[in-house]
Amino acid sequence: MPAVAAGALARGVDSPSLRELAGLNRRSDTAEICELYRAALAESGIEVPGEPEAVRWVLRGLAEGLVAGGAAVAEVVREVPCGEVWMTRPEYEFAHLAYYREELDDGPRYERDLLEAARALLGEAGFGQHLPTAGGAAQRKHGRGRGRGKEFAMAQRHEIRSTDEHENHPGETLVTTEHDVISNWARERGAEPATVPGTERDGRPGVLRLDFPGYGGQQLKHLDWDEWFRTFDERGLRFIYQEHLKDGKPSNFFRLENPNE
């Protein structure tokens, strides 16, 4: 983050907190870095994005780096956020190709398909039309050093403990481990519990997913909720999600997280 702040200063962005942040080093206290980062954004009139929006910018940063030639296919595959249900079809296509490279890899053909999906994502109307051209470097930082900032990130989430609790405002990042909350959220969106074929472990389900209508269900294997939640609990997972986007529209964003990793 200090390096990103220094780069912003070099490009003409300036504020007192940004200067202070640029003067820190990688060994500086994580809480101090986060506090200065937020202060610098506020001084510049930039709203801090919620976690779902930030993850979507990561995906677009990777696509931009690939299209611009500043990122190799292997780097995109390594850094793409996983465990997400993307909000648009182009997001899903690009993330799916990157995440399942081992199953889909067909040499030059695979690379052409990934590049085509990246271009489709960047050409999508609406969200992402004004992606900063920084070679994706800042966005790719999301995938590194996750342990250092995890406690800070988790503290920003609103924990839901029953089906009677809901978001305080549209766009809020929520977290729960309650089975009824998760299954109700999924059913309201027509989603079915599922897993990714070929990722099984000792005969048990592998990567857990929710199959939303129109989002590649032919590539998923459906489970019953009992088996899905048994695997969810055994792995100590948490369900990160949104109820609504900031504009009030229903959100399909979710991801599964192990807080100990």
Side-chain angles (χ1 to χ4, degrees):
M1 193 61 69
V4 173
L9 287 171
R11 291 192 296 272
V13 182
D14 194 6
S15 81
S17 295
L18 189 65
R19 293 182 184 182
E20 189 173 351
L21 178 58
L24 299 181
N25 58 53
R26 294 182 179 180
R27 295 183 178 84
S28 299
D29 180 67
T30 301
E32 181 182 8
I33 290 176
C34 291
E35 182 179 353
L36 286 172
Y37 167 71
R38 289 178 175 273
L41 291 180
E43 291 166 359
S44 301
I46 301 173
E47 182 182 0
V48 179
E51 183 175 357
E53 290 80 9
V55 171
R56 297 179 77 196
W57 280 112
V58 171
L59 195 67
R60 280 163 172 75
L62 292 168
E64 188 268 343
L66 185 65
V67 170
V73 169
E75 184 178 8
V76 171
V77 169
R78 183 177 67 249
E79 298 290 352
V80 68
C82 61
E84 320 293 347
V85 169
W86 308 103
M87 298 179 191
T88 68
R89 187 71 188 188
E91 290 176 342
Y92 172 83
E93 296 289 354
F94 179 67
H96 180 84
L97 277 172
Y99 189 62
Y100 294 109
R101 178 178 183 175
E102 291 185 3
E103 290 86 350
L104 302 172
D105 196 354
D106 190 21
R109 178 179 175 180
Y110 170 83
E111 295 187 7
R112 288 195 300 270
D113 288 347
L114 186 63
L115 184 59
E116 181 179 345
R119 288 172 175 153
L121 174 58
L122 294 177
E124 183 183 14
F127 190 99
Q129 286 293 293
H130 305 291
L131 180 69
T133 54
Q139 291 87 342
R140 287 195 295 274
K141 292 292 184 183
H142 173 88
R144 303 181 188 276
R146 294 179 181 176
R148 297 184 62 197
K150 183 174 289 292
E151 291 182 2
F152 175 84
M154 289 174 63
Q156 310 307 306
R157 300 169 183 161
H158 175 185
E159 184 167 3
I160 301 297
R161 296 181 175 86
S162 79
T163 55
D164 295 327
E165 298 181 37
H166 297 281
E167 64 190 5
N168 291 322
H169 56 81
E172 185 176 24
T173 301
L174 309 174
V175 58
T176 190
T177 57
E178 296 297 324
H179 294 188
D180 287 345
V181 172
I182 298 170
S183 59
N184 284 356
W185 182 91
R187 289 181 181 120
E188 288 174 356
R189 292 157 176 78
E192 300 282 348
T195 185
V196 178
T199 64
E200 296 84 358
R201 305 175 185 177
D202 299 324
R204 304 300 297 273
V207 177
L208 296 180
R209 288 284 188 269
L210 292 178
D211 179 17
F212 288 74
Y215 274 77
Q218 72 278 7
Q219 296 159 331
L220 298 175
K221 176 184 177 182
H222 284 192
L223 303 172
D224 60 44
W225 278 112
D226 286 342
E227 188 173 15
W228 198 93
F229 281 125
R230 183 164 54 250
T231 304
F232 178 87
D233 291 340
E234 287 175 351
R235 295 180 187 161
L237 299 176
R238 293 158 59 94
F239 189 79
I240 315 299
Y241 68 109
Q242 274 184 323
E243 290 185 327
H244 296 89
L245 303 175
K246 286 186 176 180
D247 62 8
K249 295 178 181 178
S251 173
N252 284 356
F253 179 91
F254 89 93
R255 67 188 181 92
L256 302 178
E257 175 186 88
N258 186 330
N260 298 317
E261 293 182 353

